[in-house]
Amino acid sequence: MPLLQIEEDGFRLDGDPFRIISGGLHYFRIHPELWGDRLHKARLMGLNTVETYVPWNLHQPRPDEFRMGAGLDLPRFLDLAAAEGLHVLLRPGPYICAEWEGGGLPAWLLADPSMRLRSRDPQFLAAVEDYFSRLLPPLHDRLATRGGPVLAVQVENEYGAYGEDTAYMEHLADSLHRHGVDVPLFTCDQPADLERGALPGVLATANFGSRSTEHLATLRSARPSGPLLCTEFWIGWFDRWGGNHIIRGAEQASQELDELLATGASVNFYMFHGGTNFGFMNGANDKHTYRPTVTSYDYDAPLDEAGDPTEKFAAFRQVIGKYAPVPAEVPPPRAAKFSLEAVELTESIALLVAAPALGDAVASHRPLTMEELGQGYGFVLYEAELPDAGPALLELEQVRDRAQVFLDGQPVGVLERECHENSLTFAVPRPGTALAVLVENQGRVNYGQGIHDRKGLLGRVLLNGSPLDGWTSRPLPLTATEDLPFGAGPATPTGPATPTGPAFHRGTFDVDRPADTFLHLDGWTKGSAWVNGFALGRYWSRGPQRSLYVPGPVLRRGTNEVVVLELHAPGRERKVAFRDAPDLGPVED
């Protein structure tokens, strides 16, 4: 692969003038069997480069464990990009934002209450050093200096919006070099933050979604010479639970892209293909009110969540063709989808019954946070006995993020961080009543100072004004569904009973030809879903999203399994449907 040079008058590739025309697609948001398809379509739209973040929290889920296989096989992804003739902009963090859980920072960093993320805290820097020492050596052969596709590597991510410690950024740049990165480095920031986030001697780039001439002038003012690159040209946006589905029309977005390319600048538009926040990996924002991001990361991108070209794909391809060669090959039409109505979930078990099989309880005088339990994602079940009967006021200092409260297994209320709720009143029927509090981590904050976002019950728990002691804290990470003890729950004379409150429901269905599909949970309330053990993500009747993307490679010929964790009440007759189109909710332009 040719080498990228940063000259006063722009980029050069092995001495020839070069313009980066790139689009974002994140390997960790795409089923690995579909990476090749997405990369091929990127080239067909006229891209010469793709961009990806690297999620530290997936690659290193525990301090002593590092993963780089299957869906995290970054070397394979880079090899596929090279085989397609695409260059790569690599953004390894350690912080990535990306509307991803915790901005990509591992949850175990927060087990120490003194940890200061994105700083020169020696504990944090030591963890970053270890991460880079594991991540980067396997990528050496994929750097352009060794014939690979990686043209350049980013230092941190939009640091100017978070802090202004140049020494911290210099430390990260030095660490990248120490671990073998010898291609050009770059930083990216929103125009107002350029000075705080930039590094002397390192290419500074800007992130924006409109007013290109104005924002590029700001970048040029900050850096009087050198290439102009918009590292995140926002051509869509992400959704949050309780909002509308946000889109940006193809005509407007293509006009903005035309304006940018007309300046001669390089571009990476965010996103070319958004993908999906599978499992529990969506992030959240907290600007005085906590707002979790939805499962879909469709982003109104040129490729939709299922990888099909949209109107924006054709519009962008036409604009790119004015400034660079575009392949003559015609992009493929929308792929066939699998459909099946009325799949009945015939087996059920209450979560409170299944809990002992899913995690071991830890006794302590107070509730332990998720991080203290060594847990990253999912739920924690807190249990205690109430000493007295009668009216009770339960006060939970901090609910992170949604607590369902039960007395002797019966639901008595829900407390939501999003609604700033932390107290509940109820009547205790007898001394020794069992109190259970099921707390869901709905996604750690991925932007701003709120990234120090510990989960579970934080702080004091008071009952009628006095501390409530004697707790067990049971981690429920729900990393697998094969151990669910279906059949262990109560039964009625006519068959298994449908549990009240949180419960797992399981059913099977047959497939002749596996293909992409969308799981629709009409009438269900809130929870998560798995198909053949693959974690699709969260659903919530609050919307806007009302379906979950199921990648075709997850399905198999013959019998397949679907498991749904419903936190409240299952849909009518405990049925779900697989349909050929998504429902991302009402649109907000």
Side-chain angles (χ1 to χ4, degrees):
M1 283 284 181
L3 300 181
L4 183 72
Q5 294 102 36
I6 297 175
E7 307 291 350
E8 288 193 359
D9 60 347
F11 291 118
R12 292 183 180 274
L13 206 60
D14 276 0
D16 296 324
F18 180 66
R19 185 206 294 253
I20 295 171
I21 302 179
S22 176
L25 70 162
H26 302 153
Y27 62 98
F28 50 94
R29 281 180 158 127
I30 306 166
H31 193 284
E33 292 187 30
L34 301 174
W35 288 346
D37 172 80
R38 307 309 192 247
L39 290 164
H40 181 63
K41 289 170 181 172
R43 184 178 63 80
L44 293 189
M45 201 176 80
L47 304 186
N48 57 32
T49 306
V50 293
E51 164 268 314
T52 186
Y53 282 125
V54 179
W56 182 7
N57 53 8
L58 286 190
H59 283 282
Q60 195 170 12
R62 297 181 183 278
D64 60 351
E65 180 183 358
F66 197 82
R67 299 176 179 175
M68 201 179 275
L72 295 174
D73 192 345
L74 179 54
R76 174 176 171 265
F77 175 82
L78 297 176
D79 290 345
L80 288 171
E84 195 62 50
L86 294 166
H87 307 292
V88 176
L89 299 176
L90 191 67
R91 307 171 78 186
Y95 163 81
I96 62 172
C97 184
E99 290 74 57
W100 188 252
E101 223 276 352
L105 298 170
W108 49 262
L109 291 171
L110 296 174
D112 185 338
S114 68
M115 174 66 72
R116 291 179 294 114
L117 304 174
R118 303 181 74 188
S119 78
R120 282 184 288 156
D121 180 341
Q123 302 172 92
F124 180 68
L125 293 183
V128 173
E129 194 74 12
D130 180 65
Y131 163 54
F132 282 167
S133 74
R134 297 169 186 257
L135 172 74
L136 295 172
L139 305 183
H140 287 171
D141 289 345
R142 279 78 181 181
L143 299 175
T145 46
R146 294 165 176 81
V150 178
L151 289 182
V153 172
Q154 183 173 294
V155 184
E156 239 262 5
N157 186 64
E158 289 194 329
Y159 181 70
Y162 183 84
E164 47 186 336
D165 185 355
T166 301
Y168 163 68
M169 292 289 285
E170 288 174 338
H171 181 97
L172 294 183
D174 290 343
S175 182
L176 289 168
H177 285 143
R178 283 196 306 274
H179 291 291
V181 174
D182 55 3
V183 296
L185 302 180
F186 64 99
T187 61
C188 77
D189 289 281
Q190 296 178 46
D193 304 323
L194 279 166
E195 291 302 325
R196 291 187 295 276
L199 270 176
V202 172
L203 176 68
T205 73
N207 298 344
F208 51 84
S210 61
R211 308 198 324 265
S212 297
T213 304
E214 173 188 338
H215 292 316
L216 289 172
T218 301
L219 177 57
R220 178 56 75 213
S221 177
R223 292 293 170 95
S225 64
L228 294 175
L229 168 62
C230 177
T231 294
E232 290 186 17
F233 187 63
W234 304 317
I235 53 85
W237 207 246
F238 59 93
D239 297 339
R240 67 170 180 86
W241 293 114
N244 291 326
H245 174 48
I246 301 173
I247 67 169
R248 186 177 190 186
E251 182 178 357
Q252 179 198 8
S254 59
Q255 288 174 354
E256 297 283 1
L257 176 62
D258 201 349
E259 178 187 341
L260 188 152
L261 293 178
T263 68
S266 290
V267 65
N268 174 70
F269 40 83
Y270 194 97
M271 301 287 296
F272 164 68
H273 171 53
T276 308
N277 298 314
F278 292 118
F280 298 123
M281 299 313 296
N282 64 279
N285 285 282
D286 192 349
K287 298 177 180 178
H288 308 296
T289 298
Y290 173 80
R291 304 288 193 196
T293 303
V294 304
T295 299
S296 172
Y297 204 64
D298 177 88
Y299 219 86
D300 193 34
L303 287 190
D304 66 16
E305 189 174 8
D308 290 318
T310 67
E311 181 184 359
K312 202 170 282 184
F313 185 103
F316 281 16
R317 191 170 188 263
Q318 184 174 5
V319 170
I320 292 169
K322 294 171 59 177
Y323 301 94
V326 172
E329 182 181 345
V330 177
R334 184 175 184 270
K337 303 293 187 290
F338 168 77
S339 295
L340 183 64
E341 288 287 340
V343 175
E344 186 174 1
L345 309 191
T346 56
E347 298 177 273
S348 298
I349 184 169
L351 182 146
L352 297 182
V353 173
L358 301 174
D360 296 326
V362 179
S364 61
H365 72 279
R366 62 169 177 82
L368 301 177
T369 67
M370 188 173 279
E371 294 76 19
E372 289 174 318
L373 291 166
Q375 178 185 357
Y377 320 105
F379 298 76
V380 181
L381 178 62
Y382 298 101
E383 296 178 287
E385 285 191 359
L386 301 182
D388 302 308
L393 170 64
L394 180 68
E395 296 176 272
L396 308 173
E397 186 172 337
Q398 293 187 68
V399 174
R400 299 287 184 86
D401 302 304
R402 191 173 188 268
Q404 295 174 252
V405 183
F406 307 86
L407 294 182
D408 287 336
Q410 298 302 307
V412 294
V414 177
L415 299 174
E416 293 190 344
R417 174 182 179 183
E418 191 168 354
C419 299
H420 305 280
E421 297 169 332
N422 64 353
S423 64
L424 187 68
T425 58
F426 46 76
V428 180
R430 58 177 177 78
T433 292
L435 170 70
V437 184
L438 179 67
V439 179
E440 179 186 4
N441 165 5
Q442 294 191 116
R444 286 183 182 83
V445 171
N446 57 256
Y447 187 82
Q449 299 299 322
I451 58 175
H452 296 82
D453 189 11
R454 295 168 176 88
K455 296 301 187 181
L457 294 182
L458 283 63
R460 300 187 305 166
V461 177
L462 302 179
L463 184 68
N464 291 330
S466 299
L468 180 61
D469 297 322
W471 289 85
T472 61
S473 305
R474 188 185 302 274
L476 303 174
L478 304 186
T479 53
T481 57
E482 59 266 22
D483 295 330
L484 289 170
F486 287 102
T492 66
T494 57
T498 300
T500 59
F504 296 94
H505 307 273
R506 181 169 67 179
T508 60
F509 59 99
D510 291 330
V511 175
D512 292 329
R513 294 183 179 180
D516 285 358
T517 186
F518 299 89
L519 175 64
H520 289 249
L521 297 112
D522 302 342
W524 298 67
T525 305
K526 188 183 194 301
S528 297
W530 294 258
V531 168
N532 294 332
F534 183 90
L536 301 179
R538 310 175 206 257
Y539 66 91
W540 199 351
S541 59
R542 181 174 291 182
Q545 179 178 357
R546 299 187 184 278
S547 63
L548 292 172
Y549 170 57
V550 183
V554 168
L555 300 178
R556 54 188 177 235
R557 290 184 184 273
T559 302
N560 293 257
E561 176 188 83
V562 57
V563 173
V564 175
L565 168 60
E566 168 57 50
L567 297 173
H568 295 282
R572 184 181 178 185
E573 300 177 343
R574 286 188 292 175
K575 292 182 179 180
V576 300
F578 293 94
R579 297 179 182 139
D580 62 3
D583 182 355
L584 297 180
V587 166
E588 174 184 311
D589 291 309

